[in-house]
Amino acid sequence: RVLAAAVNLDIAAYARKTDNGRAVLKSAEYTKMDDIDISDLDMKEEEKDTSAALLRGICARCVQLGYKVGGFEAYTITRVLKGSGLSSSAAFEVLVVTIISHLYNDDAIDPVTVAKIAQYAENVYFGKPCGLMDQLVSSMGGLVYIDFADPAQPAAERVSFDFSHCGHALCIVSCGADHANLTADYAAIPDELARVCAVFGKTYLREVDEEDFCRQLPAVRAAAGDRAVLRAIHVYEDNKRVRLQLRALENDNFPAFLEYVKESGDSSWMYLQNVIPEGRTARQEVAFALALAKHLLGGHGACRVHGGGFAGTIQAFVPNEQLEEFRGGIEAVLGEGSCHVLSIRPEGGILVEVCSHD
C-alpha cells in the first residue's frame, strides 16, 4: 500500500506524426537524440540503461497490447530533476505513452495501462526492476492511494485533501548525489524480500501472514539473513501506516499525518535501510541532508528519505513561518537551488494543446 502524489515539476513535449517509420526524441536539456526504427522493436542489450531502451520498450509493449504505433517526432522540455528520486524516468515514460495514445490511438490508453506499459519498458528493456507506483501516480496525477495486493490490477483512488490549507510547505531537497548508478541497491530490496517469501512458499510478502512470519523468525533469519528480515518488518509496518495516514487526511488531522511521516521515515532508515548505499562511509548525502533538515526544523514539521532512497532527495513538510529560514539554511550548506518548494499537480499525462501549422 502506498500514498503518493504527482508534483508540479513537469516534462512536456511538442510532438507530431511522421511517415518515416521512426520514433525520434530530442531533449532541450541533453545533446543526444533518441532515434529508433519502429519496425525493429526487439530488445537490444547494448541499449540497456538508456532512454532509447525506454522508447523502444514502450513502442514494443504498445504493439503487444494491440495498440497502434507509428512514426513521430518529439521535442521535450523537462523540469524534473534527473537522478533525484523524483521519478524522472517515470515522467519520461508516461509522456511517451501519452504521445502514442494521442497520435495513434485517439487517447484510448487509460492511465493504469499507460503506467503498466511504462513499467514494462523500464523493467524489461531498460533493465531496472522498478515497481509501478511512480508510473501510476505520474499517469493519474494528484494525491493517490494505491493498494498493490493484486499487482496485475492495482486498486488506485484519488485522495481529496487540500495541502494548501495545512500551514506547511512541501519541500524536496536535492542531496547532491545521483541515484542513476544504484540499480543493484534497489534490486537488492525485492530480491531479499523474495527470499523471505520463499521460506513460506509465497511470491509476495502480502501473502505471508505476519504472525506466521514472527513465529518462524529463526528459520527466516537463517534462510534470508537479518537485513531481509528487517526490510520485511518495515513493509509490514508501513502497509499499516499508509492506512493510518489516509485516515488522518480523511479526518483533516494533519498533525497525525506528520507523525506517521516521521515514523515511516525512521523505519526506512533503520529497517528498510535505503538511506546509505552499502559500503559508503565518507559520502552519505541522504543521511547528512536528513540530519541537516531535522536540525533546521527544530522539532516541527517532518522530513524523510524520498523516492527509492540511497541518493537523490529527501522530503520535508515545513511550517510556512519557517520556510524561508529552512530554505536558506539548506541552500547555505547544499548549494543554491537545492531546496525546491513544490505543490501537488492535479493532472497526469494529458494533451495540453493542439497546434496546427500550414
Side-chain angles (χ1 to χ4, degrees), residues 9 81 83-86 169-177 285-294 296-297 302-307 311-318 323 326-342:
L9 294 178
L81 308 173
S84 67
L86 278 174
L170 170 60
C171 295
I172 295 294
V173 175
S174 298
C175 302
E285 291 90 348
V286 175
F288 175 78
L290 284 169
L292 176 62
K294 287 185 178 182
L296 293 170
L297 287 170
C303 64
R304 59 157 301 150
V305 60
H306 181 73
T313 58
I314 65 168
Q315 174 191 122
F317 290 94
V318 182
L323 179 57
F326 178 85
R327 179 159 52 183
I330 290 289
E331 296 192 347
V333 178
L334 298 180
E336 186 177 351
S338 57
C339 183
H340 309 270
V341 182
L342 306 180

Side-chain angles (χ1 to χ4, degrees), residues 38-260:
I38 59 175
S39 68
D40 178 12
L41 297 179
D42 294 335
M43 184 181 66
K44 313 292 182 186
E45 283 294 330
E46 65 274 16
E47 279 185 351
K48 284 200 168 182
D49 294 319
T50 69
S51 53
L54 295 174
L55 180 57
R56 195 181 303 273
I58 287 167
C59 291
R61 190 58 173 166
C62 286
V63 170
Q64 292 167 15
L65 294 177
Y67 294 107
K68 296 176 183 177
V69 173
F72 66 89
E73 294 176 339
Y75 182 79
T76 68
I77 303 168
T78 185
R79 294 175 61 231
V80 187
L81 308 173
K82 184 179 183 293
S84 67
L86 278 174
S87 308
S88 58
S89 58
F92 174 83
E93 294 152 12
V94 168
L95 172 69
V96 174
V97 184
T98 303
I99 289 171
I100 293 171
S101 180
H102 174 69
L103 293 181
Y104 286 100
N105 296 277
D106 297 321
D107 297 310
I109 308 180
D110 65 272
V112 175
T113 304
V114 168
K116 289 180 179 179
I117 292 170
Q119 182 196 27
Y120 173 90
E122 189 156 349
N123 289 172
V124 178
Y125 278 63
F126 187 86
K128 182 176 180 179
C130 69
L132 187 61
M133 180 188 75
D134 291 352
Q135 288 82 357
L136 190 50
V137 176
S138 294
S139 181
M140 292 181 66
L143 180 64
V144 185
Y145 165 70
I146 313 171
D147 190 327
F148 287 105
D150 180 357
Q153 293 295 331
E157 60 183 74
R158 295 283 293 270
V159 179
S160 178
F161 183 82
D162 187 358
F163 277 97
S164 66
H165 294 150
C166 67
H168 288 67
L170 170 60
C171 295
I172 295 294
V173 175
S174 298
C175 302
D178 192 324
H179 71 183
N181 296 319
L182 295 170
T183 297
D185 293 89
Y186 298 118
I189 295 174
D191 288 348
E192 291 179 13
L193 293 176
R195 292 206 294 271
V196 172
C197 296
V199 175
F200 302 90
K202 303 295 184 181
T203 303
Y204 301 106
L205 200 61
R206 284 282 288 271
E207 301 171 327
V208 179
D209 183 79
E210 188 176 2
E211 291 185 4
D212 290 343
F213 167 80
C214 293
R215 279 193 294 266
Q216 297 198 44
L217 275 176
V220 179
R221 290 181 68 198
D226 284 346
R227 188 171 72 170
V229 169
L230 291 169
R231 284 173 161 170
I233 290 170
H234 167 80
V235 173
Y236 280 121
E237 293 302 315
D238 236 31
N239 264 341
K240 300 171 192 174
R241 253 188 302 269
V242 167
R243 297 298 297 269
L244 294 171
Q245 286 180 307
L246 183 62
R247 187 174 68 185
L249 293 179
E250 289 173 341
N251 292 333
D252 200 24
N253 188 348
F254 194 71
F257 171 80
L258 289 181
E259 288 303 312
Y260 296 132

